[in-house]
mmCIF file of all heavy atoms in Angstrom:
data_model
loop_
_atom_site.group_PDB
_atom_site.id
_atom_site.type_symbol
_atom_site.label_atom_id
_atom_site.label_comp_id
_atom_site.label_asym_id
_atom_site.label_seq_id
_atom_site.Cartn_x
_atom_site.Cartn_y
_atom_site.Cartn_z
ATOM 1 N N MET A 86 0.303 -12.235 2.727
ATOM 2 C CA MET A 86 1.601 -11.641 2.491
ATOM 3 C C MET A 86 2.615 -12.410 3.337
ATOM 4 O O MET A 86 2.392 -12.647 4.513
ATOM 5 C CB MET A 86 1.559 -10.163 2.895
ATOM 6 C CG MET A 86 2.881 -9.473 2.772
ATOM 7 S SD MET A 86 2.924 -7.729 3.269
ATOM 8 C CE MET A 86 1.572 -7.005 2.433
ATOM 9 N N THR A 87 3.693 -12.751 2.718
ATOM 10 C CA THR A 87 4.729 -13.481 3.439
ATOM 11 C C THR A 87 5.554 -12.516 4.285
ATOM 12 O O THR A 87 5.579 -11.307 4.046
ATOM 13 C CB THR A 87 5.674 -14.217 2.469
ATOM 14 O OG1 THR A 87 6.407 -13.238 1.723
ATOM 15 C CG2 THR A 87 4.919 -15.136 1.527
ATOM 16 N N ARG A 88 6.225 -13.089 5.268
ATOM 17 C CA ARG A 88 7.083 -12.260 6.122
ATOM 18 C C ARG A 88 8.181 -11.593 5.292
ATOM 19 O O ARG A 88 8.515 -10.437 5.508
ATOM 20 C CB ARG A 88 7.688 -13.115 7.225
ATOM 21 C CG ARG A 88 8.552 -12.317 8.160
ATOM 22 C CD ARG A 88 9.152 -13.175 9.252
ATOM 23 N NE ARG A 88 10.036 -12.367 10.052
ATOM 24 C CZ ARG A 88 9.765 -11.979 11.276
ATOM 25 N NH1 ARG A 88 8.639 -12.341 11.839
ATOM 26 N NH2 ARG A 88 10.630 -11.238 11.934
ATOM 27 N N ARG A 89 8.729 -12.316 4.319
ATOM 28 C CA ARG A 89 9.794 -11.762 3.476
ATOM 29 C C ARG A 89 9.277 -10.562 2.681
ATOM 30 O O ARG A 89 9.961 -9.540 2.573
ATOM 31 C CB ARG A 89 10.307 -12.847 2.540
ATOM 32 C CG ARG A 89 11.419 -12.397 1.653
ATOM 33 C CD ARG A 89 11.927 -13.547 0.822
ATOM 34 N NE ARG A 89 12.936 -13.083 -0.105
ATOM 35 C CZ ARG A 89 13.465 -13.812 -1.039
ATOM 36 N NH1 ARG A 89 13.098 -15.068 -1.187
ATOM 37 N NH2 ARG A 89 14.366 -13.328 -1.837
ATOM 38 N N THR A 90 8.070 -10.681 2.134
ATOM 39 C CA THR A 90 7.471 -9.576 1.380
ATOM 40 C C THR A 90 7.244 -8.383 2.293
ATOM 41 O O THR A 90 7.576 -7.247 1.944
ATOM 42 C CB THR A 90 6.147 -10.018 0.735
ATOM 43 O OG1 THR A 90 6.407 -11.121 -0.125
ATOM 44 C CG2 THR A 90 5.505 -8.888 -0.046
ATOM 45 N N ARG A 91 6.672 -8.642 3.472
ATOM 46 C CA ARG A 91 6.414 -7.562 4.416
ATOM 47 C C ARG A 91 7.706 -6.868 4.837
ATOM 48 O O ARG A 91 7.788 -5.647 4.870
ATOM 49 C CB ARG A 91 5.692 -8.099 5.652
ATOM 50 C CG ARG A 91 5.207 -6.962 6.573
ATOM 51 C CD ARG A 91 4.854 -7.439 7.944
ATOM 52 N NE ARG A 91 6.119 -7.812 8.582
ATOM 53 C CZ ARG A 91 6.222 -8.670 9.570
ATOM 54 N NH1 ARG A 91 5.156 -9.255 10.045
ATOM 55 N NH2 ARG A 91 7.384 -8.959 10.107
ATOM 56 N N ASP A 92 8.741 -7.651 5.112
ATOM 57 C CA ASP A 92 10.026 -7.074 5.505
ATOM 58 C C ASP A 92 10.595 -6.210 4.384
ATOM 59 O O ASP A 92 11.156 -5.138 4.636
ATOM 60 C CB ASP A 92 11.016 -8.173 5.891
ATOM 61 C CG ASP A 92 10.659 -8.850 7.205
ATOM 62 O OD1 ASP A 92 9.791 -8.337 7.942
ATOM 63 O OD2 ASP A 92 11.260 -9.906 7.482
ATOM 64 N N GLY A 93 10.451 -6.655 3.143
ATOM 65 C CA GLY A 93 10.924 -5.870 2.009
ATOM 66 C C GLY A 93 10.169 -4.556 1.877
ATOM 67 O O GLY A 93 10.758 -3.508 1.595
ATOM 68 N N LEU A 94 8.859 -4.605 2.100
ATOM 69 C CA LEU A 94 8.054 -3.385 2.029
ATOM 70 C C LEU A 94 8.420 -2.415 3.151
ATOM 71 O O LEU A 94 8.511 -1.205 2.934
ATOM 72 C CB LEU A 94 6.568 -3.718 2.083
ATOM 73 C CG LEU A 94 6.001 -4.373 0.824
ATOM 74 C CD1 LEU A 94 4.565 -4.833 1.077
ATOM 75 C CD2 LEU A 94 6.066 -3.439 -0.357
ATOM 76 N N LEU A 95 8.651 -2.951 4.338
ATOM 77 C CA LEU A 95 9.047 -2.096 5.457
ATOM 78 C C LEU A 95 10.403 -1.445 5.193
ATOM 79 O O LEU A 95 10.609 -0.265 5.514
ATOM 80 C CB LEU A 95 9.078 -2.890 6.760
ATOM 81 C CG LEU A 95 7.714 -3.324 7.297
ATOM 82 C CD1 LEU A 95 7.888 -4.243 8.501
ATOM 83 C CD2 LEU A 95 6.855 -2.124 7.653
ATOM 84 N N GLU A 96 11.313 -2.187 4.596
ATOM 85 C CA GLU A 96 12.615 -1.630 4.240
ATOM 86 C C GLU A 96 12.453 -0.507 3.218
ATOM 87 O O GLU A 96 13.101 0.541 3.321
ATOM 88 C CB GLU A 96 13.510 -2.731 3.684
ATOM 89 C CG GLU A 96 14.915 -2.293 3.389
ATOM 90 C CD GLU A 96 15.782 -3.444 2.908
ATOM 91 O OE1 GLU A 96 15.616 -4.580 3.375
ATOM 92 O OE2 GLU A 96 16.645 -3.171 2.050
ATOM 93 N N LEU A 97 11.581 -0.712 2.244
ATOM 94 C CA LEU A 97 11.316 0.321 1.244
ATOM 95 C C LEU A 97 10.718 1.564 1.891
ATOM 96 O O LEU A 97 11.129 2.690 1.597
ATOM 97 C CB LEU A 97 10.378 -0.213 0.160
ATOM 98 C CG LEU A 97 9.914 0.785 -0.883
ATOM 99 C CD1 LEU A 97 11.097 1.353 -1.662
ATOM 100 C CD2 LEU A 97 8.911 0.132 -1.830
ATOM 101 N N VAL A 98 9.759 1.386 2.785
ATOM 102 C CA VAL A 98 9.140 2.517 3.479
ATOM 103 C C VAL A 98 10.190 3.286 4.270
ATOM 104 O O VAL A 98 10.231 4.524 4.243
ATOM 105 C CB VAL A 98 7.992 2.041 4.399
ATOM 106 C CG1 VAL A 98 7.544 3.153 5.339
ATOM 107 C CG2 VAL A 98 6.819 1.545 3.575
ATOM 108 N N ASP A 99 11.049 2.558 4.987
ATOM 109 C CA ASP A 99 12.109 3.227 5.748
ATOM 110 C C ASP A 99 12.991 4.069 4.839
ATOM 111 O O ASP A 99 13.314 5.217 5.148
ATOM 112 C CB ASP A 99 12.966 2.197 6.499
ATOM 113 C CG ASP A 99 12.238 1.563 7.669
ATOM 114 O OD1 ASP A 99 11.213 2.117 8.115
ATOM 115 O OD2 ASP A 99 12.705 0.501 8.128
ATOM 116 N N TRP A 100 13.381 3.518 3.705
ATOM 117 C CA TRP A 100 14.243 4.238 2.765
ATOM 118 C C TRP A 100 13.527 5.475 2.217
ATOM 119 O O TRP A 100 14.108 6.559 2.163
ATOM 120 C CB TRP A 100 14.683 3.315 1.627
ATOM 121 C CG TRP A 100 15.539 4.024 0.628
ATOM 122 C CD1 TRP A 100 16.878 4.282 0.725
ATOM 123 C CD2 TRP A 100 15.099 4.616 -0.598
ATOM 124 N NE1 TRP A 100 17.298 4.981 -0.384
ATOM 125 C CE2 TRP A 100 16.234 5.202 -1.213
ATOM 126 C CE3 TRP A 100 13.872 4.694 -1.245
ATOM 127 C CZ2 TRP A 100 16.153 5.862 -2.426
ATOM 128 C CZ3 TRP A 100 13.806 5.362 -2.455
ATOM 129 C CH2 TRP A 100 14.940 5.937 -3.037
ATOM 130 N N LEU A 101 12.263 5.294 1.819
ATOM 131 C CA LEU A 101 11.511 6.428 1.275
ATOM 132 C C LEU A 101 11.360 7.545 2.303
ATOM 133 O O LEU A 101 11.467 8.726 1.974
ATOM 134 C CB LEU A 101 10.137 5.974 0.775
ATOM 135 C CG LEU A 101 10.144 5.157 -0.509
ATOM 136 C CD1 LEU A 101 8.773 4.549 -0.757
ATOM 137 C CD2 LEU A 101 10.573 6.012 -1.690
ATOM 138 N N GLU A 102 11.124 7.170 3.564
ATOM 139 C CA GLU A 102 10.990 8.188 4.604
ATOM 140 C C GLU A 102 12.319 8.890 4.866
ATOM 141 O O GLU A 102 12.342 10.086 5.162
ATOM 142 C CB GLU A 102 10.421 7.579 5.882
ATOM 143 C CG GLU A 102 8.939 7.289 5.753
ATOM 144 C CD GLU A 102 8.299 6.826 7.041
ATOM 145 O OE1 GLU A 102 8.996 6.292 7.934
ATOM 146 O OE2 GLU A 102 7.071 7.002 7.159
ATOM 147 N N GLU A 103 13.423 8.176 4.746
ATOM 148 C CA GLU A 103 14.734 8.821 4.880
ATOM 149 C C GLU A 103 14.948 9.831 3.749
ATOM 150 O O GLU A 103 15.494 10.915 3.972
ATOM 151 C CB GLU A 103 15.853 7.782 4.837
ATOM 152 C CG GLU A 103 16.004 6.977 6.102
ATOM 153 C CD GLU A 103 17.098 5.928 5.985
ATOM 154 O OE1 GLU A 103 17.985 6.057 5.116
ATOM 155 O OE2 GLU A 103 17.058 4.973 6.776
ATOM 156 N N GLU A 104 14.527 9.474 2.548
ATOM 157 C CA GLU A 104 14.735 10.325 1.381
ATOM 158 C C GLU A 104 13.758 11.497 1.315
ATOM 159 O O GLU A 104 14.119 12.584 0.881
ATOM 160 C CB GLU A 104 14.606 9.502 0.092
ATOM 161 C CG GLU A 104 15.710 8.483 -0.096
ATOM 162 C CD GLU A 104 17.065 9.111 -0.354
ATOM 163 O OE1 GLU A 104 17.149 10.066 -1.138
ATOM 164 O OE2 GLU A 104 18.052 8.632 0.251
ATOM 165 N N HIS A 105 12.511 11.281 1.701
ATOM 166 C CA HIS A 105 11.455 12.268 1.459
ATOM 167 C C HIS A 105 10.739 12.736 2.717
ATOM 168 O O HIS A 105 9.818 13.544 2.620
ATOM 169 C CB HIS A 105 10.417 11.696 0.489
ATOM 170 C CG HIS A 105 11.006 11.274 -0.818
ATOM 171 N ND1 HIS A 105 11.372 12.175 -1.788
ATOM 172 C CD2 HIS A 105 11.330 10.051 -1.295
ATOM 173 C CE1 HIS A 105 11.879 11.527 -2.821
ATOM 174 N NE2 HIS A 105 11.869 10.234 -2.550
ATOM 175 N N GLY A 106 11.092 12.212 3.864
ATOM 176 C CA GLY A 106 10.425 12.570 5.106
ATOM 177 C C GLY A 106 9.266 11.636 5.404
ATOM 178 O O GLY A 106 8.821 10.880 4.529
ATOM 179 N N PRO A 107 8.792 11.672 6.628
ATOM 180 C CA PRO A 107 7.708 10.765 7.016
ATOM 181 C C PRO A 107 6.395 11.086 6.308
ATOM 182 O O PRO A 107 6.160 12.215 5.875
ATOM 183 C CB PRO A 107 7.580 10.986 8.523
ATOM 184 C CG PRO A 107 8.217 12.301 8.782
ATOM 185 C CD PRO A 107 9.229 12.531 7.710
ATOM 186 N N VAL A 108 5.566 10.089 6.208
ATOM 187 C CA VAL A 108 4.244 10.234 5.598
ATOM 188 C C VAL A 108 3.331 10.936 6.601
ATOM 189 O O VAL A 108 3.299 10.587 7.781
ATOM 190 C CB VAL A 108 3.675 8.833 5.234
ATOM 191 C CG1 VAL A 108 2.255 8.935 4.720
ATOM 192 C CG2 VAL A 108 4.567 8.142 4.227
ATOM 193 N N THR A 109 2.596 11.929 6.108
ATOM 194 C CA THR A 109 1.650 12.625 6.986
ATOM 195 C C THR A 109 0.385 11.778 7.139
ATOM 196 O O THR A 109 0.131 10.860 6.354
ATOM 197 C CB THR A 109 1.269 13.996 6.408
ATOM 198 O OG1 THR A 109 0.532 13.793 5.196
ATOM 199 C CG2 THR A 109 2.490 14.866 6.149
ATOM 200 N N GLU A 110 -0.400 12.103 8.139
ATOM 201 C CA GLU A 110 -1.670 11.401 8.339
ATOM 202 C C GLU A 110 -2.591 11.584 7.145
ATOM 203 O O GLU A 110 -3.309 10.661 6.757
ATOM 204 C CB GLU A 110 -2.346 11.852 9.632
ATOM 205 C CG GLU A 110 -1.695 11.305 10.886
ATOM 206 C CD GLU A 110 -1.631 9.774 10.899
ATOM 207 O OE1 GLU A 110 -2.634 9.115 10.583
ATOM 208 O OE2 GLU A 110 -0.548 9.250 11.220
ATOM 209 N N GLU A 111 -2.570 12.768 6.543
ATOM 210 C CA GLU A 111 -3.401 13.031 5.370
ATOM 211 C C GLU A 111 -2.971 12.154 4.194
ATOM 212 O O GLU A 111 -3.815 11.600 3.479
ATOM 213 C CB GLU A 111 -3.338 14.506 4.971
ATOM 214 C CG GLU A 111 -3.965 15.451 5.978
ATOM 215 C CD GLU A 111 -3.052 15.791 7.153
ATOM 216 O OE1 GLU A 111 -1.829 15.530 7.079
ATOM 217 O OE2 GLU A 111 -3.569 16.299 8.157
ATOM 218 N N GLU A 112 -1.665 12.036 3.986
ATOM 219 C CA GLU A 112 -1.155 11.187 2.905
ATOM 220 C C GLU A 112 -1.508 9.726 3.155
ATOM 221 O O GLU A 112 -1.897 9.005 2.243
ATOM 222 C CB GLU A 112 0.360 11.342 2.771
ATOM 223 C CG GLU A 112 0.788 12.699 2.257
ATOM 224 C CD GLU A 112 2.279 12.938 2.394
ATOM 225 O OE1 GLU A 112 2.906 12.458 3.357
ATOM 226 O OE2 GLU A 112 2.824 13.648 1.524
ATOM 227 N N ARG A 113 -1.372 9.293 4.403
ATOM 228 C CA ARG A 113 -1.693 7.912 4.756
ATOM 229 C C ARG A 113 -3.176 7.634 4.524
ATOM 230 O O ARG A 113 -3.552 6.614 3.953
ATOM 231 C CB ARG A 113 -1.316 7.630 6.211
ATOM 232 C CG ARG A 113 -1.515 6.182 6.646
ATOM 233 C CD ARG A 113 -1.104 5.946 8.085
ATOM 234 N NE ARG A 113 0.220 6.446 8.394
ATOM 235 C CZ ARG A 113 1.350 5.800 8.162
ATOM 236 N NH1 ARG A 113 1.320 4.617 7.606
ATOM 237 N NH2 ARG A 113 2.506 6.328 8.494
ATOM 238 N N ALA A 114 -4.028 8.563 4.928
ATOM 239 C CA ALA A 114 -5.470 8.397 4.747
ATOM 240 C C ALA A 114 -5.828 8.335 3.264
ATOM 241 O O ALA A 114 -6.660 7.518 2.848
ATOM 242 C CB ALA A 114 -6.230 9.527 5.446
ATOM 243 N N ALA A 115 -5.194 9.196 2.459
ATOM 244 C CA ALA A 115 -5.465 9.191 1.017
ATOM 245 C C ALA A 115 -5.020 7.872 0.389
ATOM 246 O O ALA A 115 -5.733 7.305 -0.451
ATOM 247 C CB ALA A 115 -4.752 10.366 0.347
ATOM 248 N N ALA A 116 -3.868 7.374 0.797
ATOM 249 C CA ALA A 116 -3.381 6.096 0.258
ATOM 250 C C ALA A 116 -4.301 4.949 0.656
ATOM 251 O O ALA A 116 -4.607 4.075 -0.165
ATOM 252 C CB ALA A 116 -1.963 5.829 0.746
ATOM 253 N N GLU A 117 -4.752 4.950 1.907
ATOM 254 C CA GLU A 117 -5.664 3.893 2.360
ATOM 255 C C GLU A 117 -6.992 3.947 1.604
ATOM 256 O O GLU A 117 -7.546 2.911 1.240
ATOM 257 C CB GLU A 117 -5.873 3.989 3.861
ATOM 258 C CG GLU A 117 -4.638 3.578 4.649
ATOM 259 C CD GLU A 117 -4.750 3.831 6.135
ATOM 260 O OE1 GLU A 117 -5.749 4.439 6.586
ATOM 261 O OE2 GLU A 117 -3.817 3.426 6.853
ATOM 262 N N ALA A 118 -7.493 5.145 1.344
ATOM 263 C CA ALA A 118 -8.739 5.285 0.583
ATOM 264 C C ALA A 118 -8.555 4.763 -0.838
ATOM 265 O O ALA A 118 -9.428 4.065 -1.372
ATOM 266 C CB ALA A 118 -9.177 6.751 0.558
ATOM 267 N N GLU A 119 -7.419 5.077 -1.447
ATOM 268 C CA GLU A 119 -7.144 4.588 -2.800
ATOM 269 C C GLU A 119 -7.042 3.067 -2.824
ATOM 270 O O GLU A 119 -7.570 2.413 -3.732
ATOM 271 C CB GLU A 119 -5.866 5.221 -3.333
ATOM 272 C CG GLU A 119 -5.604 4.905 -4.787
ATOM 273 C CD GLU A 119 -4.447 5.687 -5.370
ATOM 274 O OE1 GLU A 119 -4.022 6.697 -4.781
ATOM 275 O OE2 GLU A 119 -3.970 5.267 -6.441
ATOM 276 N N LEU A 120 -6.398 2.493 -1.820
ATOM 277 C CA LEU A 120 -6.305 1.029 -1.748
ATOM 278 C C LEU A 120 -7.678 0.386 -1.582
ATOM 279 O O LEU A 120 -7.956 -0.657 -2.179
ATOM 280 C CB LEU A 120 -5.381 0.604 -0.597
ATOM 281 C CG LEU A 120 -3.902 0.818 -0.847
ATOM 282 C CD1 LEU A 120 -3.106 0.549 0.430
ATOM 283 C CD2 LEU A 120 -3.412 -0.061 -1.976
ATOM 284 N N ARG A 121 -8.557 1.019 -0.792
ATOM 285 C CA ARG A 121 -9.922 0.494 -0.645
ATOM 286 C C ARG A 121 -10.658 0.517 -1.979
ATOM 287 O O ARG A 121 -11.379 -0.427 -2.317
ATOM 288 C CB ARG A 121 -10.687 1.280 0.418
ATOM 289 C CG ARG A 121 -10.311 0.903 1.836
ATOM 290 C CD ARG A 121 -11.274 1.492 2.856
ATOM 291 N NE ARG A 121 -11.299 2.952 2.827
ATOM 292 C CZ ARG A 121 -10.470 3.738 3.502
ATOM 293 N NH1 ARG A 121 -9.536 3.209 4.259
ATOM 294 N NH2 ARG A 121 -10.582 5.038 3.420
ATOM 295 N N GLU A 122 -10.473 1.584 -2.753
ATOM 296 C CA GLU A 122 -11.094 1.675 -4.078
ATOM 297 C C GLU A 122 -10.563 0.585 -5.003
ATOM 298 O O GLU A 122 -11.335 -0.052 -5.733
ATOM 299 C CB GLU A 122 -10.839 3.044 -4.699
ATOM 300 C CG GLU A 122 -11.582 4.176 -4.036
ATOM 301 C CD GLU A 122 -11.233 5.528 -4.646
ATOM 302 O OE1 GLU A 122 -10.706 5.565 -5.776
ATOM 303 O OE2 GLU A 122 -11.490 6.543 -3.982
ATOM 304 N N ILE A 123 -9.265 0.353 -4.977
ATOM 305 C CA ILE A 123 -8.658 -0.690 -5.811
ATOM 306 C C ILE A 123 -9.180 -2.061 -5.389
ATOM 307 O O ILE A 123 -9.543 -2.878 -6.241
ATOM 308 C CB ILE A 123 -7.124 -0.624 -5.727
ATOM 309 C CG1 ILE A 123 -6.620 0.648 -6.409
ATOM 310 C CG2 ILE A 123 -6.479 -1.871 -6.339
ATOM 311 C CD1 ILE A 123 -5.164 0.960 -6.142
ATOM 312 N N ASP A 124 -9.239 -2.310 -4.087
ATOM 313 C CA ASP A 124 -9.757 -3.590 -3.589
ATOM 314 C C ASP A 124 -11.213 -3.789 -4.003
ATOM 315 O O ASP A 124 -11.611 -4.889 -4.405
ATOM 316 C CB ASP A 124 -9.647 -3.675 -2.064
ATOM 317 C CG ASP A 124 -8.226 -3.903 -1.589
ATOM 318 O OD1 ASP A 124 -7.371 -4.333 -2.405
ATOM 319 O OD2 ASP A 124 -7.969 -3.665 -0.394
ATOM 320 N N ALA A 125 -12.012 -2.730 -3.917
ATOM 321 C CA ALA A 125 -13.422 -2.833 -4.299
ATOM 322 C C ALA A 125 -13.554 -3.147 -5.786
ATOM 323 O O ALA A 125 -14.381 -3.985 -6.179
ATOM 324 C CB ALA A 125 -14.160 -1.542 -3.951
ATOM 325 N N GLU A 126 -12.751 -2.496 -6.619
ATOM 326 C CA GLU A 126 -12.795 -2.766 -8.058
ATOM 327 C C GLU A 126 -12.351 -4.200 -8.341
ATOM 328 O O GLU A 126 -12.946 -4.891 -9.176
ATOM 329 C CB GLU A 126 -11.916 -1.775 -8.813
ATOM 330 C CG GLU A 126 -11.883 -1.982 -10.300
ATOM 331 C CD GLU A 126 -13.227 -1.788 -10.995
ATOM 332 O OE1 GLU A 126 -14.114 -1.095 -10.447
ATOM 333 O OE2 GLU A 126 -13.404 -2.328 -12.104
ATOM 334 N N HIS A 127 -11.334 -4.643 -7.653
ATOM 335 C CA HIS A 127 -10.859 -6.024 -7.823
ATOM 336 C C HIS A 127 -11.962 -7.012 -7.439
ATOM 337 O O HIS A 127 -12.224 -7.975 -8.176
ATOM 338 C CB HIS A 127 -9.616 -6.265 -6.974
ATOM 339 C CG HIS A 127 -9.136 -7.670 -7.016
ATOM 340 N ND1 HIS A 127 -8.483 -8.210 -8.103
ATOM 341 C CD2 HIS A 127 -9.235 -8.662 -6.107
ATOM 342 C CE1 HIS A 127 -8.206 -9.471 -7.859
ATOM 343 N NE2 HIS A 127 -8.644 -9.771 -6.663
ATOM 344 N N ASP A 128 -12.613 -6.782 -6.298
ATOM 345 C CA ASP A 128 -13.707 -7.656 -5.864
ATOM 346 C C ASP A 128 -14.840 -7.649 -6.876
ATOM 347 O O ASP A 128 -15.417 -8.696 -7.184
ATOM 348 C CB ASP A 128 -14.228 -7.230 -4.490
ATOM 349 C CG ASP A 128 -13.234 -7.491 -3.374
ATOM 350 O OD1 ASP A 128 -12.265 -8.268 -3.595
ATOM 351 O OD2 ASP A 128 -13.416 -6.908 -2.290
ATOM 352 N N HIS A 129 -15.153 -6.459 -7.407
ATOM 353 C CA HIS A 129 -16.229 -6.337 -8.396
ATOM 354 C C HIS A 129 -15.900 -7.146 -9.661
ATOM 355 O O HIS A 129 -16.723 -7.911 -10.158
ATOM 356 C CB HIS A 129 -16.437 -4.877 -8.751
ATOM 357 C CG HIS A 129 -17.395 -4.659 -9.875
ATOM 358 N ND1 HIS A 129 -18.765 -4.826 -9.732
ATOM 359 C CD2 HIS A 129 -17.195 -4.317 -11.170
ATOM 360 C CE1 HIS A 129 -19.342 -4.591 -10.898
ATOM 361 N NE2 HIS A 129 -18.407 -4.273 -11.779
ATOM 362 N N ARG A 130 -14.662 -7.009 -10.134
ATOM 363 C CA ARG A 130 -14.254 -7.742 -11.353
ATOM 364 C C ARG A 130 -14.195 -9.238 -11.103
ATOM 365 O O ARG A 130 -14.554 -10.013 -11.969
ATOM 366 C CB ARG A 130 -12.905 -7.242 -11.845
ATOM 367 C CG ARG A 130 -12.961 -5.846 -12.415
ATOM 368 C CD ARG A 130 -11.618 -5.414 -12.919
ATOM 369 N NE ARG A 130 -11.666 -4.029 -13.381
ATOM 370 C CZ ARG A 130 -10.791 -3.517 -14.212
ATOM 371 N NH1 ARG A 130 -9.791 -4.231 -14.673
ATOM 372 N NH2 ARG A 130 -10.899 -2.264 -14.577
ATOM 373 N N ALA A 131 -13.752 -9.635 -9.919
ATOM 374 C CA ALA A 131 -13.655 -11.066 -9.610
ATOM 375 C C ALA A 131 -15.028 -11.708 -9.491
ATOM 376 O O ALA A 131 -15.176 -12.894 -9.775
ATOM 377 C CB ALA A 131 -12.874 -11.260 -8.306
ATOM 378 N N SER A 132 -16.041 -10.925 -9.104
ATOM 379 C CA SER A 132 -17.373 -11.494 -8.930
ATOM 380 C C SER A 132 -18.239 -11.389 -10.186
ATOM 381 O O SER A 132 -19.330 -11.941 -10.231
ATOM 382 C CB SER A 132 -18.094 -10.812 -7.769
ATOM 383 O OG SER A 132 -18.349 -9.455 -8.061
ATOM 384 N N SER A 133 -17.745 -10.678 -11.212
ATOM 385 C CA SER A 133 -18.535 -10.560 -12.444
ATOM 386 C C SER A 133 -18.422 -11.834 -13.265
ATOM 387 O O SER A 133 -17.430 -12.556 -13.185
ATOM 388 C CB SER A 133 -18.061 -9.354 -13.263
ATOM 389 O OG SER A 133 -16.800 -9.601 -13.818
ATOM 390 N N PRO A 134 -19.434 -12.151 -14.082
ATOM 391 C CA PRO A 134 -19.423 -13.381 -14.882
ATOM 392 C C PRO A 134 -18.206 -13.488 -15.816
ATOM 393 O O PRO A 134 -17.693 -14.565 -16.040
ATOM 394 C CB PRO A 134 -20.710 -13.304 -15.695
ATOM 395 C CG PRO A 134 -21.582 -12.359 -14.947
ATOM 396 C CD PRO A 134 -20.659 -11.411 -14.242
ATOM 397 N N ALA A 135 -17.738 -12.349 -16.323
ATOM 398 C CA ALA A 135 -16.592 -12.391 -17.218
ATOM 399 C C ALA A 135 -15.284 -12.503 -16.450
ATOM 400 O O ALA A 135 -14.225 -12.712 -17.033
ATOM 401 C CB ALA A 135 -16.562 -11.129 -18.079
ATOM 402 N N GLY A 136 -15.330 -12.285 -15.083
ATOM 403 C CA GLY A 136 -14.178 -12.186 -14.206
ATOM 404 C C GLY A 136 -13.232 -13.273 -14.259
ATOM 405 O O GLY A 136 -12.125 -13.357 -14.065
#
């Protein structure tokens, strides 16, 4: 991830937290679990012969 991309994401997070409040630990944990599932599926598809 480039610094510009990261800075843009941080700006988006700041805006979302201003609009909707901070992310709870439970929400953060759920999002991280979902990202792990997406990463695992991506790895699985990339390693398959049809990938």
